[in-house]
Amino acid sequence: MGNSKKKYTIGVDIGGTKILACLLDKNFQIISEFKLKTKADRGQKFFLKSLVDAIRHILRESKVSPKEVIGIGLGCPGFINPDTGVIAGSPNIPFLKNFPLAKRVSKLLRIPVTLGNDVQTGLYGEHQFGAAKGYDNVIGIFMGTGIGGALILNGRPYRGASGSAGEVGHVKMDTKGPACGCGGRGCLEAYAGRLAIAAEAAVLVARQEAPHLAQKAGTDIREIKSGALARAIRAGDDSIKDLLKAKAWRVGMVMANLATFINPDMIVLGGGVVEAMPSLIGREAEKTMRRQALPASAKNVKVAIAKLGDHSIVMGAAKRADDVFGEKRHPERRHG
């Protein structure tokens, strides 16, 4: 039997705190989505059941049979072998280390599955459908809880020799700088990831230098999220504004070095911190990049804010599934 009846793809964004599963039609329009908490503390078996149940839910809701699905794309944090679908290590979901996630999901649902790093997958989504569409050489920098990065070179995702290319959050700024979650010191993420920003913002609250943030979030860094920071800036907390400008300067310095070295067409900025304060972060980072990069390398580089938001990973994952399992890749399947 051919796959001419297969009209749908599924994209799943697996995060440390949430899973977002989406069903997409042949034009990559989202027709159903379901979000649930990851609950990594419940273990591997619970996680796998939750993931599969979420996919079954969107199929049921849309009255779509698994036989109508071309494939499932998963985007997951960590170091991933895209060829085998095995996760070499995932910092926020430790039990996934060396776990054949793609194979297990495929076996349970009887749908082919491909797996990729979440940030690489998100940039691919932006390249295919969002801010970077039409550009061949793109760097993505995503500021969330940490900082992730990815590359598109000559129109194709570049994953590197071991699949870990683009780890811009672990570019060293100062080897004697603050400790990073990777075990090193002075990484960009340790200066400008949301957790690092929240820790410094909490100090400003404690010093009574950020009264609006004090009202909204206090000194609990778990409550100092991107939206709270943005609202505090709008309400008049200039100390928080200055803090974010300093962090954007750090990101801009790394952008300058990358622009000088790679000479891309575009740098895409995304993630929760950027989405909450796009003009502040984007403007400051771009200004720094243009001042510090080699002029010949930076003059044609466009800086853009990611357009797809929460859907960049699911759309990139769905497109990857279509690339790997669809008829364009395997035309012989049309005739069985």
Side-chain angles (χ1 to χ4, degrees):
M1 179 180 168
N3 69 351
S4 59
K5 291 184 179 179
K6 294 182 185 285
K7 301 174 183 175
Y8 304 95
T9 50
I10 291 171
V12 186
D13 174 3
I14 301 170
T17 57
K18 68 166 176 61
I19 295 170
L20 175 63
C22 294
L23 180 70
L24 295 87
D25 65 17
K26 62 183 178 182
N27 297 314
F28 297 98
Q29 298 296 310
I30 294 170
I31 54 177
S32 177
E33 66 177 80
F34 185 66
K35 187 186 288 189
L36 69 158
K37 290 184 178 177
T38 305
K39 296 184 180 177
D41 58 317
R42 297 285 297 274
Q44 192 180 92
K45 191 177 289 187
F46 179 86
F47 167 83
L48 187 61
K49 183 180 184 302
S50 299
L51 174 58
V52 170
D53 285 350
I55 294 169
R56 284 177 174 149
H57 174 86
I58 57 174
L59 290 170
R60 275 196 312 271
E61 187 177 69
S62 304
K63 296 182 172 61
V64 171
S65 160
K67 292 179 181 178
E68 297 176 271
V69 179
I70 294 165
I72 298 169
L74 306 177
C76 182
F79 301 107
I80 292 159
N81 183 327
D83 299 319
T84 63
V86 174
I87 302 166
S90 185
N92 297 320
I93 316 173
F95 57 74
L96 289 181
K97 185 174 182 180
N98 297 324
F99 184 63
L101 183 63
K103 190 179 289 185
R104 292 292 296 276
V105 173
S106 181
K107 187 176 180 181
L108 289 166
L109 291 167
R110 299 189 178 184
I111 302 170
V113 177
T114 182
L115 173 68
N117 170 270
D118 58 345
V119 180
Q120 292 174 354
T121 303
L123 181 61
Y124 189 52
E126 290 290 340
H127 178 254
Q128 294 294 304
F129 308 108
K133 189 174 182 181
Y135 293 88
D136 284 342
N137 299 290
V138 184
I139 296 168
I141 300 176
F142 295 84
M143 299 175 66
T145 305
I147 296 181
L151 291 163
I152 303 280
L153 296 179
N154 299 320
R156 297 173 64 85
Y158 178 77
R159 298 184 179 91
S162 60
S164 63
E167 286 288 346
V168 70
H170 301 291
V171 168
K172 294 286 187 283
M173 308 292 289
D174 180 354
T175 55
K176 295 179 181 175
C180 180
C182 72
R185 301 192 75 87
C187 298
L188 175 63
E189 183 174 296
Y191 284 103
R194 186 182 60 78
L195 286 178
I197 295 169
E200 291 188 44
V203 172
L204 293 172
V205 170
R207 289 177 179 165
Q208 300 183 346
E209 294 176 22
H212 298 288
L213 186 62
Q215 286 179 354
K216 296 175 192 303
T219 57
D220 185 347
I221 64 169
R222 291 170 299 182
E223 297 298 320
I224 301 177
K225 297 183 179 176
S226 303
L229 291 165
R231 287 189 293 274
I233 290 170
R234 287 196 296 270
D237 278 352
D238 288 339
S239 64
I240 301 299
K241 184 177 182 179
D242 290 342
L243 172 65
L244 267 297
K245 286 174 75 173
K247 300 309 181 185
W249 176 86
R250 290 261 181 201
V251 173
M253 286 297 294
V254 171
M255 287 166 58
N257 289 330
L258 292 173
T260 298
F261 185 62
I262 294 175
N263 186 214
D265 304 308
M266 175 177 280
I267 298 175
V268 176
L269 296 175
V273 175
V274 175
E275 286 170 22
M277 296 161 276
S279 56
L280 174 64
I281 301 289
R283 185 173 59 243
E284 199 66 28
E286 181 175 3
K287 184 171 70 176
T288 302
M289 181 204 76
R290 298 207 182 280
R291 281 179 180 167
Q292 301 298 331
L294 191 67
S297 299
K299 69 176 182 179
N300 293 323
V301 178
K302 292 181 173 61
V303 177
I305 303 300
K307 285 183 177 177
L308 302 179
D310 284 348
H311 292 130
S312 63
I313 295 171
V314 294
M315 292 185 73
K319 181 63 170 68
R320 168 81 176 145
D322 187 64
D323 293 344
V324 174
F325 305 119
E327 289 183 350
K328 288 178 183 175
R329 180 71 178 263
H330 302 285
E332 71 279 3
R333 291 185 184 173
R334 292 181 187 176
H335 308 293

PDB file of all heavy atoms in Angstrom, residues 210-240:
ATOM      1  N   ALA A 210      14.153  47.721  42.703  1.00  0.00           N
ATOM      2  CA  ALA A 210      13.198  47.309  41.663  1.00  0.00           C
ATOM      3  C   ALA A 210      11.829  47.111  42.309  1.00  0.00           C
ATOM      4  O   ALA A 210      11.346  45.987  42.445  1.00  0.00           O
ATOM      5  CB  ALA A 210      13.689  46.031  40.989  1.00  0.00           C
ATOM      6  N   PRO A 211      11.165  48.212  42.695  1.00  0.00           N
ATOM      7  CA  PRO A 211       9.916  48.104  43.458  1.00  0.00           C
ATOM      8  C   PRO A 211       8.782  47.403  42.726  1.00  0.00           C
ATOM      9  O   PRO A 211       7.983  46.686  43.342  1.00  0.00           O
ATOM     10  CB  PRO A 211       9.555  49.569  43.763  1.00  0.00           C
ATOM     11  CG  PRO A 211      10.311  50.381  42.756  1.00  0.00           C
ATOM     12  CD  PRO A 211      11.568  49.620  42.497  1.00  0.00           C
ATOM     13  N   HIS A 212       8.682  47.599  41.414  1.00  0.00           N
ATOM     14  CA  HIS A 212       7.587  46.967  40.664  1.00  0.00           C
ATOM     15  C   HIS A 212       7.783  45.461  40.563  1.00  0.00           C
ATOM     16  O   HIS A 212       6.827  44.690  40.708  1.00  0.00           O
ATOM     17  CB  HIS A 212       7.469  47.595  39.271  1.00  0.00           C
ATOM     18  CG  HIS A 212       7.133  49.059  39.320  1.00  0.00           C
ATOM     19  ND1 HIS A 212       5.882  49.516  39.675  1.00  0.00           N
ATOM     20  CD2 HIS A 212       7.903  50.159  39.093  1.00  0.00           C
ATOM     21  CE1 HIS A 212       5.877  50.847  39.640  1.00  0.00           C
ATOM     22  NE2 HIS A 212       7.092  51.251  39.299  1.00  0.00           N
ATOM     23  N   LEU A 213       9.029  45.019  40.346  1.00  0.00           N
ATOM     24  CA  LEU A 213       9.306  43.588  40.320  1.00  0.00           C
ATOM     25  C   LEU A 213       9.095  42.992  41.707  1.00  0.00           C
ATOM     26  O   LEU A 213       8.612  41.854  41.837  1.00  0.00           O
ATOM     27  CB  LEU A 213      10.726  43.311  39.830  1.00  0.00           C
ATOM     28  CG  LEU A 213      11.076  41.834  39.627  1.00  0.00           C
ATOM     29  CD1 LEU A 213      10.176  41.202  38.560  1.00  0.00           C
ATOM     30  CD2 LEU A 213      12.543  41.670  39.245  1.00  0.00           C
ATOM     31  N   ALA A 214       9.405  43.759  42.737  1.00  0.00           N
ATOM     32  CA  ALA A 214       9.194  43.297  44.119  1.00  0.00           C
ATOM     33  C   ALA A 214       7.722  42.959  44.351  1.00  0.00           C
ATOM     34  O   ALA A 214       7.390  41.942  44.970  1.00  0.00           O
ATOM     35  CB  ALA A 214       9.657  44.361  45.106  1.00  0.00           C
ATOM     36  N   GLN A 215       6.829  43.812  43.836  1.00  0.00           N
ATOM     37  CA  GLN A 215       5.391  43.575  43.992  1.00  0.00           C
ATOM     38  C   GLN A 215       4.928  42.348  43.207  1.00  0.00           C
ATOM     39  O   GLN A 215       4.094  41.580  43.677  1.00  0.00           O
ATOM     40  CB  GLN A 215       4.611  44.804  43.492  1.00  0.00           C
ATOM     41  CG  GLN A 215       4.678  45.994  44.433  1.00  0.00           C
ATOM     42  CD  GLN A 215       3.902  47.187  43.883  1.00  0.00           C
ATOM     43  OE1 GLN A 215       3.412  47.152  42.747  1.00  0.00           O
ATOM     44  NE2 GLN A 215       3.795  48.234  44.672  1.00  0.00           N
ATOM     45  N   LYS A 216       5.476  42.170  42.017  1.00  0.00           N
ATOM     46  CA  LYS A 216       4.992  41.120  41.120  1.00  0.00           C
ATOM     47  C   LYS A 216       5.597  39.750  41.422  1.00  0.00           C
ATOM     48  O   LYS A 216       4.945  38.721  41.234  1.00  0.00           O
ATOM     49  CB  LYS A 216       5.295  41.494  39.663  1.00  0.00           C
ATOM     50  CG  LYS A 216       4.559  42.740  39.195  1.00  0.00           C
ATOM     51  CD  LYS A 216       4.983  43.144  37.784  1.00  0.00           C
ATOM     52  CE  LYS A 216       4.488  44.527  37.417  1.00  0.00           C
ATOM     53  NZ  LYS A 216       3.051  44.684  37.526  1.00  0.00           N
ATOM     54  N   ALA A 217       6.861  39.735  41.868  1.00  0.00           N
ATOM     55  CA  ALA A 217       7.544  38.444  41.986  1.00  0.00           C
ATOM     56  C   ALA A 217       8.362  38.265  43.266  1.00  0.00           C
ATOM     57  O   ALA A 217       8.721  37.141  43.610  1.00  0.00           O
ATOM     58  CB  ALA A 217       8.458  38.239  40.775  1.00  0.00           C
ATOM     59  N   GLY A 218       8.696  39.364  43.928  1.00  0.00           N
ATOM     60  CA  GLY A 218       9.536  39.238  45.123  1.00  0.00           C
ATOM     61  C   GLY A 218      10.950  38.815  44.759  1.00  0.00           C
ATOM     62  O   GLY A 218      11.449  39.101  43.672  1.00  0.00           O
ATOM     63  N   THR A 219      11.605  38.101  45.678  1.00  0.00           N
ATOM     64  CA  THR A 219      12.990  37.686  45.454  1.00  0.00           C
ATOM     65  C   THR A 219      13.106  36.202  45.085  1.00  0.00           C
ATOM     66  O   THR A 219      14.206  35.668  44.992  1.00  0.00           O
ATOM     67  CB  THR A 219      13.851  37.947  46.710  1.00  0.00           C
ATOM     68  OG1 THR A 219      13.251  37.257  47.819  1.00  0.00           O
ATOM     69  CG2 THR A 219      13.945  39.430  47.022  1.00  0.00           C
ATOM     70  N   ASP A 220      11.986  35.536  44.865  1.00  0.00           N
ATOM     71  CA  ASP A 220      11.998  34.124  44.497  1.00  0.00           C
ATOM     72  C   ASP A 220      12.318  34.001  43.003  1.00  0.00           C
ATOM     73  O   ASP A 220      11.509  34.389  42.156  1.00  0.00           O
ATOM     74  CB  ASP A 220      10.629  33.490  44.792  1.00  0.00           C
ATOM     75  CG  ASP A 220      10.605  31.988  44.541  1.00  0.00           C
ATOM     76  OD1 ASP A 220      11.548  31.469  43.911  1.00  0.00           O
ATOM     77  OD2 ASP A 220       9.631  31.341  44.975  1.00  0.00           O
ATOM     78  N   ILE A 221      13.501  33.471  42.674  1.00  0.00           N
ATOM     79  CA  ILE A 221      13.908  33.449  41.262  1.00  0.00           C
ATOM     80  C   ILE A 221      12.988  32.563  40.419  1.00  0.00           C
ATOM     81  O   ILE A 221      12.900  32.740  39.214  1.00  0.00           O
ATOM     82  CB  ILE A 221      15.386  33.041  41.073  1.00  0.00           C
ATOM     83  CG1 ILE A 221      15.638  31.604  41.530  1.00  0.00           C
ATOM     84  CG2 ILE A 221      16.320  34.003  41.769  1.00  0.00           C
ATOM     85  CD1 ILE A 221      17.007  31.095  41.124  1.00  0.00           C
ATOM     86  N   ARG A 222      12.272  31.640  41.066  1.00  0.00           N
ATOM     87  CA  ARG A 222      11.324  30.810  40.310  1.00  0.00           C
ATOM     88  C   ARG A 222      10.148  31.629  39.801  1.00  0.00           C
ATOM     89  O   ARG A 222       9.490  31.268  38.823  1.00  0.00           O
ATOM     90  CB  ARG A 222      10.816  29.658  41.183  1.00  0.00           C
ATOM     91  CG  ARG A 222      11.871  28.620  41.508  1.00  0.00           C
ATOM     92  CD  ARG A 222      11.387  27.652  42.549  1.00  0.00           C
ATOM     93  NE  ARG A 222      11.061  28.329  43.803  1.00  0.00           N
ATOM     94  CZ  ARG A 222      10.642  27.729  44.914  1.00  0.00           C
ATOM     95  NH1 ARG A 222      10.493  26.409  44.913  1.00  0.00           N
ATOM     96  NH2 ARG A 222      10.374  28.417  46.004  1.00  0.00           N
ATOM     97  N   GLU A 223       9.857  32.743  40.483  1.00  0.00           N
ATOM     98  CA  GLU A 223       8.746  33.613  40.085  1.00  0.00           C
ATOM     99  C   GLU A 223       9.190  34.746  39.162  1.00  0.00           C
ATOM    100  O   GLU A 223       8.361  35.425  38.561  1.00  0.00           O
ATOM    101  CB  GLU A 223       8.080  34.221  41.332  1.00  0.00           C
ATOM    102  CG  GLU A 223       7.449  33.184  42.256  1.00  0.00           C
ATOM    103  CD  GLU A 223       6.344  32.404  41.569  1.00  0.00           C
ATOM    104  OE1 GLU A 223       5.562  33.016  40.807  1.00  0.00           O
ATOM    105  OE2 GLU A 223       6.274  31.171  41.765  1.00  0.00           O
ATOM    106  N   ILE A 224      10.509  34.948  39.066  1.00  0.00           N
ATOM    107  CA  ILE A 224      11.015  36.043  38.221  1.00  0.00           C
ATOM    108  C   ILE A 224      11.174  35.501  36.801  1.00  0.00           C
ATOM    109  O   ILE A 224      12.261  35.101  36.378  1.00  0.00           O
ATOM    110  CB  ILE A 224      12.333  36.621  38.781  1.00  0.00           C
ATOM    111  CG1 ILE A 224      12.117  37.144  40.204  1.00  0.00           C
ATOM    112  CG2 ILE A 224      12.837  37.760  37.886  1.00  0.00           C
ATOM    113  CD1 ILE A 224      13.367  37.661  40.887  1.00  0.00           C
ATOM    114  N   LYS A 225      10.065  35.458  36.100  1.00  0.00           N
ATOM    115  CA  LYS A 225      10.058  34.936  34.730  1.00  0.00           C
ATOM    116  C   LYS A 225      10.107  36.090  33.739  1.00  0.00           C
ATOM    117  O   LYS A 225      10.048  37.266  34.117  1.00  0.00           O
ATOM    118  CB  LYS A 225       8.819  34.062  34.530  1.00  0.00           C
ATOM    119  CG  LYS A 225       8.849  32.847  35.447  1.00  0.00           C
ATOM    120  CD  LYS A 225       7.687  31.919  35.228  1.00  0.00           C
ATOM    121  CE  LYS A 225       7.819  30.717  36.168  1.00  0.00           C
ATOM    122  NZ  LYS A 225       6.670  29.814  36.077  1.00  0.00           N
ATOM    123  N   SER A 226      10.220  35.737  32.459  1.00  0.00           N
ATOM    124  CA  SER A 226      10.416  36.766  31.430  1.00  0.00           C
ATOM    125  C   SER A 226       9.288  37.789  31.408  1.00  0.00           C
ATOM    126  O   SER A 226       9.530  38.995  31.284  1.00  0.00           O
ATOM    127  CB  SER A 226      10.540  36.099  30.061  1.00  0.00           C
ATOM    128  OG  SER A 226      11.599  35.172  30.061  1.00  0.00           O
ATOM    129  N   GLY A 227       8.044  37.322  31.541  1.00  0.00           N
ATOM    130  CA  GLY A 227       6.902  38.238  31.527  1.00  0.00           C
ATOM    131  C   GLY A 227       6.930  39.211  32.687  1.00  0.00           C
ATOM    132  O   GLY A 227       6.617  40.400  32.532  1.00  0.00           O
ATOM    133  N   ALA A 228       7.318  38.713  33.873  1.00  0.00           N
ATOM    134  CA  ALA A 228       7.399  39.577  35.060  1.00  0.00           C
ATOM    135  C   ALA A 228       8.473  40.645  34.876  1.00  0.00           C
ATOM    136  O   ALA A 228       8.285  41.810  35.273  1.00  0.00           O
ATOM    137  CB  ALA A 228       7.692  38.739  36.304  1.00  0.00           C
ATOM    138  N   LEU A 229       9.586  40.277  34.279  1.00  0.00           N
ATOM    139  CA  LEU A 229      10.663  41.243  34.016  1.00  0.00           C
ATOM    140  C   LEU A 229      10.181  42.318  33.040  1.00  0.00           C
ATOM    141  O   LEU A 229      10.415  43.512  33.258  1.00  0.00           O
ATOM    142  CB  LEU A 229      11.885  40.524  33.441  1.00  0.00           C
ATOM    143  CG  LEU A 229      12.632  39.586  34.400  1.00  0.00           C
ATOM    144  CD1 LEU A 229      13.575  38.679  33.626  1.00  0.00           C
ATOM    145  CD2 LEU A 229      13.406  40.379  35.456  1.00  0.00           C
ATOM    146  N   ALA A 230       9.488  41.877  31.984  1.00  0.00           N
ATOM    147  CA  ALA A 230       8.988  42.832  30.983  1.00  0.00           C
ATOM    148  C   ALA A 230       7.977  43.797  31.597  1.00  0.00           C
ATOM    149  O   ALA A 230       8.020  45.004  31.336  1.00  0.00           O
ATOM    150  CB  ALA A 230       8.361  42.071  29.818  1.00  0.00           C
ATOM    151  N   ARG A 231       7.079  43.264  32.434  1.00  0.00           N
ATOM    152  CA  ARG A 231       6.072  44.136  33.073  1.00  0.00           C
ATOM    153  C   ARG A 231       6.730  45.123  34.031  1.00  0.00           C
ATOM    154  O   ARG A 231       6.307  46.286  34.125  1.00  0.00           O
ATOM    155  CB  ARG A 231       5.040  43.269  33.807  1.00  0.00           C
ATOM    156  CG  ARG A 231       4.082  42.534  32.868  1.00  0.00           C
ATOM    157  CD  ARG A 231       2.940  41.873  33.613  1.00  0.00           C
ATOM    158  NE  ARG A 231       3.389  40.772  34.455  1.00  0.00           N
ATOM    159  CZ  ARG A 231       3.542  39.522  34.032  1.00  0.00           C
ATOM    160  NH1 ARG A 231       3.293  39.206  32.768  1.00  0.00           N
ATOM    161  NH2 ARG A 231       3.937  38.580  34.872  1.00  0.00           N
ATOM    162  N   ALA A 232       7.754  44.682  34.745  1.00  0.00           N
ATOM    163  CA  ALA A 232       8.458  45.579  35.674  1.00  0.00           C
ATOM    164  C   ALA A 232       9.138  46.719  34.921  1.00  0.00           C
ATOM    165  O   ALA A 232       9.133  47.872  35.377  1.00  0.00           O
ATOM    166  CB  ALA A 232       9.483  44.781  36.481  1.00  0.00           C
ATOM    167  N   ILE A 233       9.710  46.401  33.756  1.00  0.00           N
ATOM    168  CA  ILE A 233      10.354  47.443  32.943  1.00  0.00           C
ATOM    169  C   ILE A 233       9.312  48.448  32.456  1.00  0.00           C
ATOM    170  O   ILE A 233       9.517  49.669  32.544  1.00  0.00           O
ATOM    171  CB  ILE A 233      11.114  46.805  31.755  1.00  0.00           C
ATOM    172  CG1 ILE A 233      12.347  46.056  32.265  1.00  0.00           C
ATOM    173  CG2 ILE A 233      11.528  47.877  30.741  1.00  0.00           C
ATOM    174  CD1 ILE A 233      13.027  45.189  31.220  1.00  0.00           C
ATOM    175  N   ARG A 234       8.177  47.949  31.982  1.00  0.00           N
ATOM    176  CA  ARG A 234       7.114  48.855  31.511  1.00  0.00           C
ATOM    177  C   ARG A 234       6.578  49.730  32.636  1.00  0.00           C
ATOM    178  O   ARG A 234       6.179  50.876  32.409  1.00  0.00           O
ATOM    179  CB  ARG A 234       5.968  48.049  30.885  1.00  0.00           C
ATOM    180  CG  ARG A 234       6.301  47.463  29.526  1.00  0.00           C
ATOM    181  CD  ARG A 234       5.042  47.021  28.783  1.00  0.00           C
ATOM    182  NE  ARG A 234       4.352  45.941  29.467  1.00  0.00           N
ATOM    183  CZ  ARG A 234       4.591  44.644  29.265  1.00  0.00           C
ATOM    184  NH1 ARG A 234       5.513  44.273  28.388  1.00  0.00           N
ATOM    185  NH2 ARG A 234       3.911  43.719  29.915  1.00  0.00           N
ATOM    186  N   ALA A 235       6.590  49.183  33.852  1.00  0.00           N
ATOM    187  CA  ALA A 235       6.072  49.940  35.010  1.00  0.00           C
ATOM    188  C   ALA A 235       7.074  50.968  35.529  1.00  0.00           C
ATOM    189  O   ALA A 235       6.717  51.823  36.350  1.00  0.00           O
ATOM    190  CB  ALA A 235       5.695  48.978  36.131  1.00  0.00           C
ATOM    191  N   GLY A 236       8.339  50.880  35.068  1.00  0.00           N
ATOM    192  CA  GLY A 236       9.305  51.911  35.462  1.00  0.00           C
ATOM    193  C   GLY A 236      10.517  51.446  36.244  1.00  0.00           C
ATOM    194  O   GLY A 236      11.260  52.284  36.766  1.00  0.00           O
ATOM    195  N   ASP A 237      10.762  50.136  36.320  1.00  0.00           N
ATOM    196  CA  ASP A 237      11.959  49.643  37.016  1.00  0.00           C
ATOM    197  C   ASP A 237      13.174  49.782  36.097  1.00  0.00           C
ATOM    198  O   ASP A 237      13.544  48.863  35.357  1.00  0.00           O
ATOM    199  CB  ASP A 237      11.787  48.166  37.421  1.00  0.00           C
ATOM    200  CG  ASP A 237      10.994  48.010  38.710  1.00  0.00           C
ATOM    201  OD1 ASP A 237      10.715  49.034  39.367  1.00  0.00           O
ATOM    202  OD2 ASP A 237      10.654  46.862  39.051  1.00  0.00           O
ATOM    203  N   ASP A 238      13.822  50.957  36.155  1.00  0.00           N
ATOM    204  CA  ASP A 238      14.961  51.205  35.264  1.00  0.00           C
ATOM    205  C   ASP A 238      16.147  50.301  35.569  1.00  0.00           C
ATOM    206  O   ASP A 238      16.949  49.998  34.677  1.00  0.00           O
ATOM    207  CB  ASP A 238      15.397  52.671  35.362  1.00  0.00           C
ATOM    208  CG  ASP A 238      14.389  53.614  34.705  1.00  0.00           C
ATOM    209  OD1 ASP A 238      13.593  53.134  33.859  1.00  0.00           O
ATOM    210  OD2 ASP A 238      14.384  54.806  35.050  1.00  0.00           O
ATOM    211  N   SER A 239      16.255  49.860  36.822  1.00  0.00           N
ATOM    212  CA  SER A 239      17.369  48.971  37.169  1.00  0.00           C
ATOM    213  C   SER A 239      17.240  47.636  36.434  1.00  0.00           C
ATOM    214  O   SER A 239      18.237  47.048  36.006  1.00  0.00           O
ATOM    215  CB  SER A 239      17.415  48.730  38.680  1.00  0.00           C
ATOM    216  OG  SER A 239      16.240  48.044  39.114  1.00  0.00           O
ATOM    217  N   ILE A 240      16.021  47.161  36.265  1.00  0.00           N
ATOM    218  CA  ILE A 240      15.782  45.912  35.532  1.00  0.00           C
ATOM    219  C   ILE A 240      16.041  46.127  34.040  1.00  0.00           C
ATOM    220  O   ILE A 240      16.628  45.266  33.366  1.00  0.00           O
ATOM    221  CB  ILE A 240      14.351  45.397  35.764  1.00  0.00           C
ATOM    222  CG1 ILE A 240      14.109  45.142  37.262  1.00  0.00           C
ATOM    223  CG2 ILE A 240      14.089  44.125  34.964  1.00  0.00           C
ATOM    224  CD1 ILE A 240      15.023  44.104  37.893  1.00  0.00           C
TER     225      ILE A 240
END
